[in-house]
Amino acid sequence: MASKPSRADSPGSGGSEEQGELSLLMERYQDAEAEAAEELVGRVSPILFRFFLSYTHDVGRAEDLLQDCWVRIHRARHSFRRGEPLMPWVFAIARHTRLDALRKRIRRKSREALMDSIPEGLHTTEQPRLAPRENFENMLAELPDSQREVIIMLKVSGMTLEEVARATSCTVGSVKQKAHRAYAKLRRILNDRKDDSE
Amino acid sequence: MGNCRQLDEFLDRGSSGAMPEALRLHLVVCPRCRKLHKAMAVPEAEVVPPAPLVSRVASHLAADLKPVTPVASSTMAFLRFLAVSLLVTAALLGALGMSAMKGMSALQLAGFLLLTGLAAAALAATVSWQISPGSRYRWSPAAMLGVLVGAFLLEFMLLFPWQAGEGSLVFGWKCARAGVVFAIPSAFLLWLAVRRGEPPALGTLGATIGGAGALISLIVLQFNCSMHEAAHLSVGHASVLGAGIGLGFLTGWACEKLQA
């Protein structure tokens, strides 16, 4: 397991050289430059994949979400404002991709629950799953979705408070409040875990 | 010595930079913060998507490339929205007149115009952020709409006399109904000005545009209805704002459901 890149190097961080390069690639993508599109997909996909995987812990579903997200990014590429940071724009779309997929999944599950029996052959094949890491993903699962989202964007995606605020269409103050509430809850959860070694 | 809040601030910055000495000392004495810091410091796994998937996505996008014109900058979107609002208001006032303006005192007129101007600017700014994902929000759209309705109610109650006559509520209902009739086409015209955007939440954008349409309607009512008393204005005029916001939200929410 390699260590996380530092925040200054992460494409999720604001004001870095990487951010500027990605924004320029996006502008070239808007101008229909195929090379820029390919490079952008290559550089942004790992960040998006990690974001989706941190929610699903399911490689297959994370791949589906990644593809769906790129379709949406492609359709909405005109809505990127030149000169603005790219990653908050990308994450705003990724966030909605995830939420829409979640709603669809809930609807599908509720429909399936109404069916008495399903023939064995109709079950989908199991996708490989990643075991959630103790002490972090398990704890995050106990947080309300809005707080969990903020912590994932801050920690997993390496975004700044400002970028998370932009991606979630909130004010910086609101994001900070959610993060601090999440830390308080995580402290309680960790404290309640007697078996947790320090 | 540091405290738990300082750890929160440190984590907000992604634990980047050197940890202050005071915070280091705090972690020694506070087991809860120590555990949280340790859990948050666990490095992320470097997972990457399969290369064939990435190249498939890239080639799909490359195959469907056409140049697109980016949405206007937030300043341009703000000015455009204000200009359309002004044009629609001018057209409605030109057609219906401003006969009741004479009935307002200088203070009432100044107060109303000041609040209307501020409300229009706040609505235009909020719309300009909402049409492009990843924009910087300086305030919450929902809170702003609540404050807007409250501010108009307060202004009507403070600046206009309380003489609730018998016809006040009956006429209030008539004004509210007329206000909603004006607000709907106004909101539609405003929507045309921002339809190229890609709002992350259609319900919120609908509520904001509905509020802007209702604000235009409120101006028309204020300059055409001679019943300038607090009870009538609160029931008949300010309620148009609430109705516009509510209808706009429902329309946006329904569109979002249809898209899903």
Side-chain angles (χ1 to χ4, degrees):
Chain A
M1 192 183 283
S3 64
K4 182 185 161 192
S6 75
R7 184 161 287 221
D9 300 333
S10 163
S13 68
S16 68
E17 212 172 285
E18 179 99 22
Q19 268 283 9
E21 278 178 28
L22 288 174
S23 296
L24 282 176
L25 277 176
M26 184 66 199
E27 290 173 18
R28 287 171 55 205
Y29 172 39
Q30 287 181 323
D31 293 336
E33 280 189 39
E35 273 179 27
E38 282 170 22
E39 193 179 341
L40 193 69
V41 171
R43 286 170 73 167
V44 173
S45 290
I47 307 164
L48 286 176
F49 187 65
R50 230 176 9 242
F51 173 71
F52 290 131
L53 199 60
S54 62
Y55 279 102
T56 61
H57 309 300
D58 182 322
V59 175
R61 275 175 56 206
E63 286 174 10
D64 290 345
L65 285 170
L66 181 66
Q67 289 189 74
D68 191 13
C69 187
W70 274 112
V71 171
R72 285 170 185 238
I73 286 174
H74 188 65
R75 278 194 211 130
R77 66 192 187 280
H78 67 279
S79 68
F80 173 71
R81 283 187 171 130
R82 296 191 169 198
E84 295 275 324
L86 176 70
M87 291 318 286
W89 180 84
V90 166
F91 272 96
I93 294 172
R95 180 175 178 255
H96 280 275
T97 307
R98 185 189 77 79
L99 289 173
D100 286 347
L102 185 69
R103 285 189 201 114
K104 275 183 195 161
R105 205 172 150 82
I106 290 168
R107 274 203 300 271
R108 199 167 52 233
K109 274 194 173 176
S110 64
R111 274 203 297 269
E112 282 174 2
L114 292 173
M115 294 169 76
D116 288 329
S117 63
I118 302 168
E120 284 291 311
L122 290 182
H123 284 298
T124 54
T125 51
E126 278 290 309
Q127 293 285 352
R129 290 181 69 84
L130 291 186
R133 284 178 302 133
E134 280 297 321
N135 295 338
F136 191 65
E137 269 93 355
N138 282 351
M139 288 190 318
L140 287 190
E142 294 183 42
L143 295 177
D145 198 58
S146 62
Q147 293 175 13
R148 187 182 176 202
E149 180 177 65
V150 167
I151 298 296
I152 285 178
M153 284 188 181
L154 282 172
K155 186 178 173 351
V156 180
S157 306
M159 296 166 84
T160 61
L161 282 177
E162 160 87 26
E163 287 172 329
V164 177
R166 282 171 175 263
T168 55
S169 309
C170 288
T171 59
V172 174
S174 161
V175 170
K176 205 167 178 175
Q177 190 182 50
K178 282 177 196 164
H180 289 200
R181 283 182 183 160
Y183 299 145
K185 188 153 187 191
L186 290 174
R187 278 190 185 92
R188 276 201 301 277
I189 295 167
L190 281 165
N191 203 45
D192 292 346
R193 288 188 179 179
K194 287 173 186 168
D195 57 339
D196 193 4
S197 61
E198 281 187 34
Chain B
M1 189 181 287
N3 54 36
C4 303
R5 190 166 178 80
Q6 279 183 335
L7 177 66
D8 291 355
E9 303 279 344
F10 184 68
L11 294 174
D12 283 347
R13 298 193 300 272
S15 312
S16 61
M19 184 185 280
E21 191 54 33
L23 184 55
R24 204 180 297 279
L25 287 172
H26 173 69
L27 291 187
V28 174
V29 296
C30 179
R32 287 159 67 100
C33 283
R34 195 162 60 238
K35 283 180 187 176
L36 177 65
H37 178 249
K38 190 185 162 195
M40 294 290 286
V42 174
E44 289 305 313
E46 277 296 296
V47 283
V48 287
L53 172 72
V54 176
S55 58
R56 196 170 61 235
V57 168
S59 55
H60 273 259
L61 298 195
D64 184 40
L65 271 183
K66 283 181 200 119
V68 289
T69 311
V71 288
S73 68
S74 49
T75 312
M76 275 306 294
F78 169 81
L79 292 174
R80 187 183 295 167
F81 195 81
L82 266 189
V84 174
S85 306
L86 211 63
L87 277 175
V88 176
T89 311
L92 280 171
L93 288 177
L96 299 167
M98 300 195 288
S99 55
M101 202 173 87
K102 297 189 290 280
M104 289 166 80
S105 70
L107 180 68
Q108 289 167 346
L109 186 62
F112 180 75
L113 289 178
L114 178 70
L115 186 56
T116 308
L118 287 175
L123 285 162
T126 313
V127 166
S128 74
W129 306 332
Q130 288 181 69
I131 58 172
S132 173
S135 292
R136 185 176 175 205
Y137 283 64
R138 286 169 179 83
W139 55 75
S140 146
M144 186 269 294
L145 292 171
V147 168
L148 208 67
V149 176
F152 272 102
L153 276 173
L154 197 67
E155 188 195 61
F156 290 148
M157 287 172 185
L158 292 177
L159 292 183
F160 291 86
W162 279 91
Q163 300 160 351
E166 266 183 36
S168 185
L169 287 180
V170 178
F171 283 114
W173 167 241
K174 282 184 178 170
C175 276
R177 216 170 39 187
V180 171
V181 170
F182 291 135
I184 292 170
S186 305
F188 177 72
L189 290 171
L190 291 171
W191 172 77
L192 288 178
V194 298
R195 72 188 186 285
R196 272 201 81 230
E198 196 71 26
L202 278 176
T204 314
L205 182 69
T208 316
I209 292 178
L215 182 67
I216 292 172
S217 185
L218 182 65
I219 297 167
V220 172
L221 284 178
Q222 195 69 18
F223 290 158
N224 279 281
C225 167
S226 55
M227 203 172 269
H228 290 151
E229 55 177 65
H232 173 77
L233 295 174
S234 304
V235 174
H237 295 201
S239 63
V240 176
L241 269 181
I245 291 167
L247 283 173
F249 174 78
L250 287 175
T251 310
W253 179 79
C255 290
E256 202 165 70
K257 290 284 155 198
L258 282 174
Q259 278 182 5

